Amino acid sequence: MKHTFHGVFSLLLFVVAIAVALIALWQQSSWLGLFYLGTCALSACGILYAYCVKCSVRLDNCSHVFPGKLTRKFPRRKQGPYTVSDVAGTVLFLGLILLFPQYWLLKHAPALILFWALVIAAVAEILVFVCPRCANSQCMMCPKGQMPEN
């Protein structure tokens, strides 16, 4: 479990971005905020199941630490190349987290800018520091990665 700083830091940046969006939505309506919070929780579970559970290093060498530990609670999946369905599911759930709050963030330009700055910083952390050191060669983000199978 070496090299976990950037993995954990990237998750922290992403969680702070979600908190920024949550605050913007909560200011409009507490119900809207609760709905977004639930959407994020369910989408995070979807991402963990669609992508993280298939990772070959998730149990003992996850750079993000927490997702690897959480995947132990999910049903097992065969580890191996990611399929188009795995990637599509991940994109769908991540899209819900990122795109749902945009309408309300547009009403608060500073929150919108901060949200996307945090998301971009998290993605940069992952691409620059986490992926190059990750041993999951089946992942598309791995420099040695594979394209999804049908």
Side-chain angles (χ1 to χ4, degrees):
M1 216 158 69
K2 295 186 219 175
H3 311 293
T4 58
F5 172 79
H6 292 287
V8 173
F9 185 61
S10 64
L11 284 182
L12 178 63
L13 290 171
F14 196 63
V15 167
V16 173
I18 290 170
V20 168
L22 182 61
I23 291 167
L25 271 68
W26 200 281
Q27 289 177 345
Q28 296 295 311
S29 161
S30 58
W31 290 108
L32 188 59
L34 287 172
F35 181 78
Y36 181 60
L37 188 61
T39 299
C40 288
L42 291 174
S43 293
C45 289
I47 292 167
L48 289 173
Y49 184 74
Y51 212 79
C52 298
V53 171
K54 286 190 78 170
C55 177
S56 60
V57 299
R58 69 186 170 90
L59 297 176
D60 58 353
N61 203 20
C62 177
S63 293
H64 296 290
V65 181
F66 306 111
K69 294 184 184 306
L70 289 172
T71 59
R72 295 175 183 181
K73 305 293 183 191
F74 286 81
R76 289 184 174 213
R77 296 184 67 204
K78 182 181 177 197
Q79 294 175 344
Y82 291 91
T83 65
V84 171
S85 297
D86 297 328
V87 175
T90 303
V91 169
L92 172 74
F93 291 120
L94 189 57
L96 283 171
I97 294 171
L98 297 177
L99 299 178
F100 178 79
Q102 294 309 299
Y103 173 78
W104 296 277
L105 286 171
L106 284 169
K107 295 179 179 184
H108 304 284
L112 176 70
I113 293 166
L114 181 58
F115 175 84
W116 283 108
L118 290 164
V119 168
I120 290 167
V123 170
E125 280 281 317
I126 293 167
L127 293 176
V128 173
F129 297 107
V130 177
C131 293
R133 292 182 175 161
C134 182
N136 181 11
S137 62
Q138 300 295 323
C139 178
M140 288 178 21
M141 302 304 287
C142 179
K144 309 169 288 279
Q146 308 293 317
M147 292 306 295
E149 294 181 353
N150 291 328

